[in-house]
Amino acid sequence: MSLFEDLIAWLRRKGVNATNPLHALRKEFGSQINAQHRLYAAKEALRHADIQTTAAHCLDRKQRTTSGLGRLLLPSKVVDLTAGEASGAKA
């Protein structure tokens, strides 16, 4: 068996059911680079001619994109506006 046949067999055993498991592996590689180092680094690692190719075809989003404002809702960041009312203090 060739190296590529061994790799394809291993990928299939690991649950990669894509038509072309080597392409699926390359796509996952690009996604991991993007997750840690962003799109331009993935473009360079995948050796795409332009960034649109990388953005359009080779990256799977595994996480939802958020604004990052949720961290402001942590209990330690919330100001109790009613605390002064209980002691009779006025703002």
Side-chain angles (χ1 to χ4, degrees), residues 24-87:
L25 180 63
R26 187 174 193 273
K27 193 173 176 181
E28 180 62 25
F29 167 73
S31 294
Q32 293 297 317
I33 296 294
N34 178 55
Q36 292 190 12
H37 304 287
R38 296 293 172 219
L39 191 59
Y40 184 77
K43 173 206 170 280
E44 292 298 308
L46 293 168
R47 299 181 61 153
H48 287 152
D50 60 80
I51 205 158
Q52 287 83 11
T53 302
T54 310
H57 300 291
C58 293
L59 300 174
D60 288 333
R61 292 201 182 230
K62 298 202 176 14
Q63 298 177 357
R64 297 175 84 188
T65 302
T66 66
S67 64
L69 296 176
R71 64 184 167 75
L72 298 175
L73 299 176
L74 295 174
S76 63
K77 302 281 185 185
V78 176
V79 176
D80 184 2
L81 298 176
T82 62
E85 294 174 11
S87 64

